[in-house]
Amino acid sequence: MRHSTRIAVGPVQFRIGSDWRAPVAALDRLYASYPRDDARPADATVRLFAARPWRRWLRPSVEIGGDFTVPDALPLPLSMGLLAAEMGMNLQVALGWRRHLLLHASAVARDGRAVIMSGESGSGKSTLAALLGEDGWRLMGDEFTLIDPAGGDALAFPRAVSLKNAAIAEVAARVDAARLGPLLAGTPKGDIRHLIPRPDAIAAMHEPARPALLLFPRFGGEAAIEPMGEGEAFVRLTEASTNYVALGEAGFAALTRLVRATPAFGISYPDSATGLALVEQLFAEAVR
Amino acid sequence: MADRVYRAAPPETLRIEALGELTVLFDRRSMQTHLMTQPMPEILAVMAGEPCNAAMVAERLATRFDLGGDGDPTPLIAERLAELAAMGLVAEA
């Protein structure tokens, strides 16, 4: 590929190649402060390539490729090359990673204890994690959390946070503009802007944290806390894991241990301030 | 329904973990995870060792648990056995 870069996010080493300079330059800017070890073999490869050779210049359109591909993924216009790279990185991890149980969940940590938040798109898990990451917590990740099958610890995947729609203004008001990527307006997922995690979160990205709390947030409605049984938490997390089936008994063992050892709650919240307060309250009770 | 005789999966092929009111079971042969509630785990437990029909399972359950109710539980247990067979956790002997 004409342009390429290496990015290490938590335990995953990515090699990203592109037919165009712009997406690689944008990634290099977002990930400039991440530790690099170019000698390490890549765990996952993402390729952004032109659908047809002339498409490099004429209405350029980015196809996403790599070790794993989704056959019906639509090409994106070049202006969304950064989103294409992010989608490619997510896809390679979601489908290819086998060393840990992979949960589609955000996570933050304090004093070595992790709060893992799992929910559908729109639940607010990413926004809560981003805001907590600016408010005294270590951001472990806004999209994926890895569970070590051997010891049960949570491992971070602190990629650049993908802020969407209303979350963009909410977070932008609290952070230095230098930590924000370009606004990607009108993508298939709405408006997107990336946030570079705080330097302490990046520096600590290889440090595991012991799970303290499993939360299933739901944005909207009155503030509410609902304790969740181990069985329901297990079922929800199998649905939130992209590699549970592939891991076989190791995944089963990791997940049963996680839900037994970690109190779980569904939380509803009408606004971010309430959501943050509920997380603080439940964390204080869990680690007491 | 004929009272069929079933043999439970060998215990070493199953990993069974109680999680509150649910029981999760990993079948090492199929690599599948099954979720179950009472009385499925109890039925599997009393079937260990030898082939059983529903009447035998009912009798063994009655010695260990209070089954409640006055009626004969055998037809219900026969239905549960058929469900366990559909999951591949028991097989007709």
Side-chain angles (χ1 to χ4, degrees):
Chain A
M1 300 233 100
R2 288 174 175 78
H3 308 276
S4 68
T5 191
R6 294 283 194 133
I7 298 172
V9 183
V12 189
Q13 173 90 337
F14 292 98
R15 175 174 55 214
I16 295 155
S18 170
D19 277 347
W20 304 272
R21 198 184 67 81
V24 166
L27 284 170
D28 279 340
R29 189 185 154 260
L30 279 181
Y31 289 92
S33 59
Y34 283 59
R36 266 182 87 138
D37 179 5
D38 289 4
R40 205 180 115 191
D43 300 301
T45 300
V46 177
R47 292 195 302 274
L48 306 176
F49 58 91
R52 299 278 180 277
W54 59 85
R55 278 289 192 119
R56 260 206 314 139
W57 303 283
L58 184 69
R59 278 194 298 122
S61 147
V62 184
E63 297 258 8
I64 306 168
D67 304 321
F68 298 89
T69 57
V70 176
D72 57 353
L74 286 175
L76 291 163
L78 181 57
S79 61
M80 295 176 194
L82 192 53
L83 174 63
E86 175 195 311
M87 289 168 69
M89 290 165 73
N90 286 350
L91 191 66
Q92 302 317 307
V93 174
L95 300 183
W97 197 251
R98 295 285 183 276
R99 276 176 248 165
H100 306 97
L101 179 68
L102 195 135
L103 300 177
H104 183 213
S106 66
V108 293
R110 186 189 275 166
D111 302 328
R113 303 298 306 276
V115 178
I116 298 168
M117 296 178 277
S118 172
E120 299 288 315
S121 181
S123 65
K125 66 179 188 300
S126 302
T127 309
L128 282 179
L131 292 170
L132 288 162
E134 301 303 319
D135 198 24
W137 294 75
R138 168 190 158 205
L139 176 75
M140 294 183 72
D142 75 317
E143 182 78 2
F144 293 131
T145 302
L146 307 162
I147 303 296
D148 177 14
D153 281 345
L155 293 158
F157 185 79
R159 60 166 205 174
V161 177
S162 187
L163 300 169
K164 295 186 189 76
N165 302 318
I168 296 173
E170 195 164 8
V171 173
R174 301 177 188 218
V175 305
D176 186 339
R179 288 181 48 216
L180 293 167
L183 175 67
L184 309 174
T187 78
K189 298 178 173 187
D191 292 352
I192 288 182
R193 200 165 180 191
H194 291 93
L195 169 72
I196 302 168
R198 291 169 56 90
D200 50 326
I202 295 170
M205 74 180 182
H206 295 302
E207 291 174 20
R210 171 77 36 194
L213 200 55
L214 289 169
L215 295 181
F216 297 85
R218 194 170 50 234
F219 178 71
E222 294 285 299
I225 297 173
E226 292 169 42
M228 187 180 290
E230 294 170 4
E232 184 178 350
F234 179 92
V235 173
R236 286 191 182 225
L237 291 178
T238 57
E239 290 166 355
S241 173
T242 57
N243 67 357
Y244 170 79
V245 172
L247 290 191
E249 188 170 353
F252 178 87
L255 204 48
T256 49
R257 173 159 63 182
L258 178 66
V259 300
R260 275 193 183 136
T262 318
F265 300 89
I267 58 170
S268 301
Y269 58 102
D271 52 62
S272 295
T274 307
L276 298 183
L278 290 177
V279 175
E280 294 279 359
Q281 175 195 333
L282 288 169
F283 183 76
E285 291 168 8
V287 300
R288 193 185 297 157
Chain B
M1 190 188 299
D3 196 358
R4 295 193 172 115
V5 176
Y6 294 94
R7 186 188 296 278
E12 65 274 14
T13 64
L14 304 179
R15 180 162 176 173
I16 302 173
E17 305 281 354
L19 294 177
E21 291 179 355
L22 274 181
T23 295
V24 291
L25 182 153
F26 184 79
D27 186 341
R28 295 185 171 114
R29 301 163 304 172
S30 65
M31 306 282 281
Q32 282 191 316
T33 300
H34 300 281
L35 302 166
M36 46 184 68
T37 54
Q38 282 187 333
M40 302 298 229
E42 290 79 5
I43 290 176
L44 283 175
V46 300
M47 289 179 73
E50 59 176 328
C52 296
N53 61 17
M56 291 165 72
V57 170
E59 193 182 311
R60 292 181 186 187
L61 285 174
T63 64
R64 295 203 200 177
F65 305 100
D66 176 12
L67 295 184
D70 300 327
D72 179 8
T74 307
L76 284 176
I77 288 171
E79 284 178 29
R80 299 291 89 79
L81 283 171
E83 289 164 16
L84 287 168
M87 288 190 260
L89 299 174
V90 303
E92 283 196 53

